[in-house]
Amino acid sequence: MTQMPVPPKLEIIPPNAPFSEGQRLWLNGFLVGMFGLDGSTPLSPAENGAVLAPQGDGDDGEAPWHDPAMPIGDRMKLAEGRPLRRRMMAAMAQQDCGQCGYNCADYSDAIAKKSEARLNLCAPGGKETARMLKQLYEELDKAPAAKPSDGAAAQSAAAPELKAELGRARENPAEAVFLSRRLLNKQGSEKETYHIEFDLSESRLDYVVGDSFGVFARNDLGLVDQIIALLGASHTTQVNGKTLREALVEDVSLSPAPDKLFELLSFITGGAQREKARALAQGEDPDGDAATLDVMAALQKFSGCRPHPEAFVEALEPLQPRLYSISSSHNATPGKLSLTVDSVRYVIGKRKRLGVASTFLGERITEGEKLKVYVQKAHGFALPRDPKTPIIMVGPGTGVAPFRAFLLDRKATGAPGKNWLFFGHQRSDCDFFYRDELNALKTSGLLTRLSLAWSRDGEKKFYVQDRMRELGREVWTWLAEGAHLYICGDAKRMAKDVERALVDIVAQFGARSTDEAVSFVADLKKKGRFQADVY
């Protein structure tokens, strides 16, 4: 066997250069090959340029703006200089809630590729997201279109358009039967929260815990008839093959008033009223009431305007489905599904406003009635693969919903992992959802620990994050044993407060600096050991 001579080791990058040993060795090899110092043929200038040119669109794949608690201005600032599709992602409400039918990254990619023309699907982002997407879309129109290669064009032409399976996407909903509602609060509560049950047997839908349930609700008939009266129209007027009443009940959103409605109103009025309507259409707030203007309030504000019913309906946004965390387990009750829903009611001025889907489920739909629904698969919110892994769940109020599902699923499957639930609400006497059920799970040993926090029972408000700090040493012990931690609830306040408490616990009981504790929590997220379902 002939032995090959070993080429001399060439050092172009000196040992004291500001690189790691691995980086230095790679650079030495790259430069030796590029200039032909090892006897090989050196690369041409064009080849050098191709090798050294930035690859892709220069995006590093990170999304520091992907934070539901961050204002849109801050998100857009973080995305400055990024590709247009990434700035579109930053414009969204950053929850990966799936309500639009995508996750945030895929929705922004679809808009940027012009395969999705709808810019108003981000329900949590509302009008501010839609306005920003419209502004960014105008940049897309000005940019030169990328010419696809012949291969890419052929592949695109050959690829059939796949329709989502029935009940697996908002575009192809199934039907479920509404079974029942049960009030979870007792007398004295300031809330109105219902346990809602559905029968999925006809649709044959299934789901896994952590998934969400999309509900196509209908608008309140009383509100619809008041709007028809303000239009001076008949509820039987035909609009796109339906009566005006049917269209307003089933097809369009009546809150908040969209920019297109103000544009329409500006066309049929004049003077100061026209200027106000134009200003509102551009996102301005001439009278300081823009945030309170739903469709009915807009018609009352411009009471002299009576747009044609067809033009009026076309100026409104489509009625979006609402997503709710599933609070049941298919393994425990196949063919059945439950939700935990707060009925939303509030007053602006002298008028009572209603949450569309929450009051639809809480009072308007009748037992045995069918409605359109779909299952939205969770994006990174699921039980650990290993059933022996301990879990810590933090879910105040209706945030308990997915954790009830987790517990019922672990019971049904015989998962041996420890389970710790932090639950809280306003008052223990009237707001302890699923009290008997949770206590029974604790007595049986399935629920290892149940830690409660009641914000209105004492003189000082006390929340789940306060209880976590109080039990910080035990929380740290569970984390050190490999526990996964989950939170569900309000993104802007509760979720941030819980994460802050977690950082404090890691710093105090894990003997770390604050920066190290922040990095530890970030690492939990990266490894899927800290998951959130926030809204």
Side-chain angles (χ1 to χ4, degrees):
M1 180 176 175
T2 305
Q3 186 174 6
M4 298 295 292
V6 178
K9 185 179 180 182
L10 298 173
E11 296 282 353
I12 298 175
I13 305 297
N16 61 349
F19 300 107
S20 70
E21 184 62 17
Q23 290 171 327
R24 195 171 69 83
L25 289 172
W26 186 89
L27 283 168
N28 271 324
F30 173 74
L31 293 171
V32 164
M34 187 173 79
F35 294 116
L37 300 179
D38 58 352
S40 62
T41 304
L43 298 177
S44 69
E47 290 170 328
N48 284 339
V51 170
L52 295 173
Q55 302 300 305
D57 59 9
D59 179 47
D60 60 10
E62 295 295 322
W65 55 79
H66 205 262
D67 181 346
M70 189 179 292
I72 190 170
D74 294 345
R75 300 201 304 265
M76 298 312 298
K77 192 169 184 180
L78 281 174
E80 282 179 3
R82 296 293 185 95
L84 187 60
R85 64 186 177 82
R86 302 294 278 174
R87 285 184 283 140
M88 286 179 171
M89 179 185 177
M92 295 166 192
Q94 306 313 314
Q95 299 185 44
D96 277 345
C97 66
Q99 195 158 324
C100 61
Y102 303 87
N103 60 37
C104 298
D106 290 343
Y107 183 32
S108 57
D109 284 350
I111 295 172
K113 293 174 184 174
K114 294 192 173 183
S115 60
E116 175 59 80
R118 296 169 294 178
L119 307 181
N120 55 3
L121 297 183
C122 184
K127 288 203 290 189
E128 66 176 10
T129 289
R131 286 172 182 148
M132 183 59 70
L133 288 177
K134 183 179 178 182
Q135 181 180 325
L136 294 170
Y137 196 83
E138 289 171 359
E139 287 187 37
L140 186 66
D141 285 340
K142 294 174 186 174
K147 187 176 180 181
S149 65
D150 292 340
Q155 184 179 7
S156 175
E161 185 177 344
L162 298 177
K163 188 176 182 181
E165 186 182 346
L166 184 68
R168 302 294 175 182
R170 54 180 283 157
E171 290 79 16
N172 193 21
E175 282 192 334
V177 177
F178 177 79
L179 287 180
S180 63
R181 64 174 68 88
R182 170 168 58 91
L183 186 64
L184 293 174
N185 318 89
K186 294 183 178 177
Q187 190 172 0
S189 177
E190 297 175 21
K191 300 286 186 176
E192 189 180 312
T193 310
Y194 290 95
H195 177 78
I196 309 286
E197 294 200 337
F198 301 90
D199 182 353
L200 303 181
S201 55
E202 287 187 28
S203 66
R204 298 183 180 178
L205 273 179
D206 60 4
Y207 58 93
V208 297
V209 293
D211 289 348
S212 298
F213 197 53
V215 175
F216 286 82
R218 295 188 286 274
N219 286 312
D220 177 54
L221 186 58
L223 174 62
V224 165
D225 284 344
Q226 289 180 74
I227 288 173
I228 292 173
L230 287 169
L231 291 173
S234 166
H235 65 82
T236 59
T237 301
Q238 290 293 303
V239 176
N240 298 326
K242 291 186 174 183
T243 67
L244 176 58
R245 177 186 273 173
E246 289 170 341
L248 293 177
V249 166
E250 300 169 0
D251 298 341
V252 295
S253 171
L254 302 180
S255 179
D259 294 344
K260 283 185 178 180
L261 177 59
F262 293 117
E263 287 178 10
L264 175 62
L265 294 171
S266 75
F267 296 147
I268 56 177
T269 188
Q273 290 286 81
R274 170 175 288 186
E275 293 306 313
K276 282 185 182 181
R278 284 177 174 170
L280 286 163
Q282 294 168 6
E284 298 171 16
D285 191 1
D287 295 331
D289 60 354
T292 69
L293 295 177
D294 64 358
V295 171
M296 181 172 167
L299 290 176
Q300 289 172 328
K301 185 178 180 70
F302 297 90
S303 57
C305 299
R306 290 191 170 185
H308 188 279
E310 189 171 347
F312 173 72
V313 169
E314 289 177 355
L316 302 182
E317 300 284 2
L319 183 58
Q320 305 278 16
R322 285 355 187 227
L323 280 179
Y324 291 97
S325 300
I326 296 172
S327 60
S328 57
S329 162
H330 179 73
N331 288 322
T333 51
K336 299 286 179 66
L337 181 145
S338 68
L339 307 176
T340 307
V341 179
D342 262 340
S343 284
V344 177
R345 305 173 193 277
Y346 54 100
V347 176
I348 295 179
K350 295 181 180 179
R351 197 182 123 219
K352 182 184 288 186
R353 308 284 182 97
L354 304 175
V356 177
S358 65
T359 56
F360 171 72
L361 295 172
E363 65 181 42
R364 294 200 299 278
I365 190 170
T366 58
E367 292 182 12
E369 192 174 341
K370 292 183 178 180
L371 71 162
K372 293 189 296 182
V373 300
Y374 65 99
V375 171
Q376 175 67 47
K377 300 303 292 180
H379 297 292
F381 191 79
L383 281 168
R385 290 184 180 179
D386 185 350
K388 297 188 296 293
T389 302
I391 60 174
I392 303 171
M393 303 161 284
V394 185
T398 56
V400 75
F403 305 137
R404 177 181 185 265
F406 280 13
L407 291 169
L408 294 175
D409 199 75
R410 283 198 143 186
K411 179 181 179 182
T413 58
K418 297 189 298 182
N419 308 291
W420 187 351
L421 174 64
F422 285 86
F423 173 74
H425 210 312
Q426 293 185 346
R427 296 177 177 84
S428 58
D429 288 342
C430 51
D431 296 316
F432 193 169
F433 303 160
Y434 306 112
R435 179 198 300 261
D436 294 342
E437 190 176 292
L438 292 175
N439 283 332
L441 291 173
K442 190 170 185 299
T443 300
S444 72
L446 181 92
L447 182 52
T448 315
R449 298 195 66 164
L450 175 60
S451 300
L452 306 170
W454 308 107
S455 63
R456 305 293 193 275
D457 274 358
E459 293 181 3
K460 185 180 178 182
K461 291 183 178 180
F462 192 81
Y463 298 103
V464 286
Q465 60 267 23
D466 301 314
R467 186 67 73 198
M468 287 178 65
R469 284 191 172 92
E470 189 178 88
L471 301 170
R473 185 178 298 279
E474 292 92 331
V475 170
W476 169 250
T477 299
W478 278 51
L479 290 174
E481 292 173 351
H484 288 208
L485 188 141
Y486 301 84
I487 59 175
C488 179
D490 173 57
K492 296 190 184 302
R493 298 180 61 183
M494 186 282 295
K496 283 295 177 187
D497 290 342
V498 167
E499 185 169 340
R500 198 171 293 116
L502 184 61
V503 168
D504 292 344
I505 288 167
V506 171
Q508 181 178 355
F509 299 102
R512 287 166 165 78
S513 69
T514 300
D515 287 346
E516 289 171 338
V518 169
S519 296
F520 181 89
V521 172
D523 191 54
L524 290 180
K525 292 180 180 179
K526 188 176 293 186
K527 292 176 178 176
R529 289 184 54 199
F530 181 9
Q531 300 179 21
D533 177 12
V534 294
Y535 39 84

